[in-house]
Amino acid sequence: MNETFKALADPTRRHIIRLLKEKDMTAGEIADHFNMTKPSISHHLSTLKQAKLILDERQGQNIVYSLNTTVVQDVLGWFLEIIDGKDPGKGKEEDE
Amino acid sequence: MNETFKALADPTRRHIIRLLKEKDMTAGEIADHFNMTKPSISHHLSTLKQAKLILDERQGQNIVYSLNTTVVQDVLGWFLEIIDGKDPGKGKEEDE
DNA sequence: TAGATATTTAGACAGTTTTCTAAATATCTA
DNA sequence: TAGATATTTAGAAAACTGTCTAAATATCTA
């Protein structure tokens, strides 16, 4: 879980996730969305892949990346637990 | 949003959030849960506070920390949109 | 006001992260 | 097989992070 949260702590990587939410893309297509070198994007993809947030599959010359919604849901579960367990109706108690 | 995600990228800080989910606590009570110096915990609390994930209020000698569920819900919303953001007209473009 | 308690700030240091350029690997096509 | 295209790996520099000790600040109580 820590690897997943760390992977999500970078804006470029979150942007990649939002791109892959729309459709699967090759590494090159993803890189075209950023003002950054391809090796840098490749490194971000590697981080996301290691966190299992994305999946990769070679198709000829290209490598196609896709979102792994299972792991995204795991993180979602972490947040749901934080919210659900919290006593509702208890907000800021500032009375002045 | 970036500050929030970065704040969540550390296991100690996520642990603090889970502690505060149960009940409000003073800085010292929080520190007692970790094998780490109080200045280090204070620094983590400062990071969480800057990300608005927690709120602080002085009560005499103590400073009582509490969870800011509003911001936790904002992050939850980010994930919900990734998973089932089927609303085509409302795609979020930026998260920073 | 002095001393005790609670917490934060300051400064330092090792380890990690992000980014780059250059080079290597894999695949396709003529 | 040679050359072109797609992507990754390697190595290095700058910036950032997490942690510590020592010192400062804030509050309470006698």
Side-chain angles (χ1 to χ4, degrees):
Chain A
M1 202 57 142
N2 190 41
E3 209 169 26
T4 309
F5 272 104
K6 282 202 298 197
L8 288 165
D10 179 89
T12 300
R13 291 195 290 265
R14 289 197 304 279
H15 196 161
I16 290 172
I17 286 177
R18 291 203 309 276
L19 289 173
L20 293 179
K21 169 208 155 197
E22 298 302 328
K23 66 178 175 68
D24 297 356
M25 296 174 78
T26 67
E29 284 174 323
I30 292 168
D32 288 344
H33 285 80
F34 297 91
N35 190 14
M36 195 179 288
T37 64
K38 279 166 202 244
S40 295
I41 294 298
S42 179
H43 179 250
H44 283 305
L45 289 170
S46 163
T47 300
L48 287 167
K49 185 181 154 187
Q50 205 158 1
K52 296 194 172 49
L53 279 161
I54 63 175
L55 306 167
D56 65 333
E57 182 197 358
R58 179 174 281 277
Q59 281 180 13
Q61 272 166 305
N62 305 305
I63 294 181
V64 178
Y65 283 94
S66 59
L67 194 61
N68 185 359
T69 49
T70 302
V71 173
V72 177
Q73 277 180 352
D74 288 348
V75 189
L76 187 90
W78 190 91
F79 285 98
L80 283 175
E81 209 174 284
I82 296 294
I83 301 261
D84 287 353
K86 180 77 176 170
D87 188 12
K90 173 176 198 283
K92 314 172 49 171
E93 42 235 356
E94 282 176 1
D95 48 10
E96 59 251 270
Chain B
M1 202 58 142
N2 190 41
E3 211 167 22
T4 310
F5 273 103
K6 282 202 298 197
L8 289 164
D10 179 88
T12 300
R13 291 195 290 266
R14 289 197 303 279
H15 196 163
I16 291 173
I17 286 177
R18 290 201 309 275
L19 289 173
L20 293 178
K21 169 207 155 197
E22 297 304 327
K23 66 177 176 67
D24 298 355
M25 296 174 78
T26 68
E29 284 174 322
I30 293 168
D32 287 344
H33 284 80
F34 297 91
N35 189 14
M36 195 179 289
T37 65
K38 279 168 201 246
S40 295
I41 293 298
S42 179
H43 178 249
H44 283 305
L45 289 170
S46 163
T47 300
L48 287 167
K49 185 181 154 187
Q50 203 155 5
K52 296 191 172 52
L53 279 161
I54 63 176
L55 305 166
D56 64 334
E57 184 196 359
R58 178 174 281 277
Q59 281 180 12
Q61 271 167 303
N62 306 306
I63 294 181
V64 178
Y65 284 95
S66 59
L67 193 61
N68 185 358
T69 49
T70 302
V71 173
V72 177
Q73 279 182 349
D74 287 348
V75 189
L76 187 91
W78 189 92
F79 285 98
L80 283 173
E81 211 175 280
I82 294 294
I83 297 230
D84 62 5
K86 5 185 111 148
D87 191 345
K90 277 197 147 185
K92 202 192 255 180
E93 281 304 315
E94 295 298 333
D95 67 5
E96 283 110 307

